[in-house]
Amino acid sequence: MISKLELRHIIECGFLPLSCTCTVNPDGSLMIKVFEPSTDRIELLVTAISTENLTSSRAIANLIGELRSEMSSRKTAFH
């Protein structure tokens, strides 16, 4: 099992060069905020991600990939 601290670190590093803060909610779920460091413009905010299935590096990588895809599709929709 991956600790919450390690999980947060992996997720935050997965969005570089953007900035990311990953916090643990009181119910154990995660809140992920991805933003542009130079402007603080929020690119993505997800408030209740379950950690139940985030038990392997592959599962974490898949989550990061899905969130990056969502960010990319939102950017395309706005342009």
Side-chain angles (χ1 to χ4, degrees):
M1 179 89 174
I2 298 172
S3 73
K4 299 280 188 191
L5 184 61
E6 187 176 8
L7 180 58
R8 287 178 48 213
H9 178 71
I10 294 167
I11 291 171
E12 289 173 350
C13 289
F15 287 97
L16 291 171
L18 295 172
S19 291
C20 175
T21 55
C22 179
T23 54
V24 180
N25 295 318
D27 65 357
S29 66
L30 300 177
M31 179 177 76
I32 298 174
K33 179 172 115 176
V34 181
F35 56 98
E36 177 61 49
S38 60
T39 62
D40 285 337
R41 187 175 131 226
I42 296 175
E43 300 288 334
L44 180 73
L45 178 63
V46 185
T47 58
I49 297 174
S50 171
T51 60
E52 185 177 318
N53 295 321
L54 299 177
T55 57
S56 69
S57 57
R58 178 173 293 287
I60 298 165
N62 287 342
L63 171 66
I64 292 168
E66 289 171 17
L67 294 176
R68 282 185 162 275
S69 292
E70 186 175 328
M71 282 179 9
S72 179
S73 64
R74 286 182 182 190
K75 278 186 181 180
T76 316
F78 288 122
H79 292 284

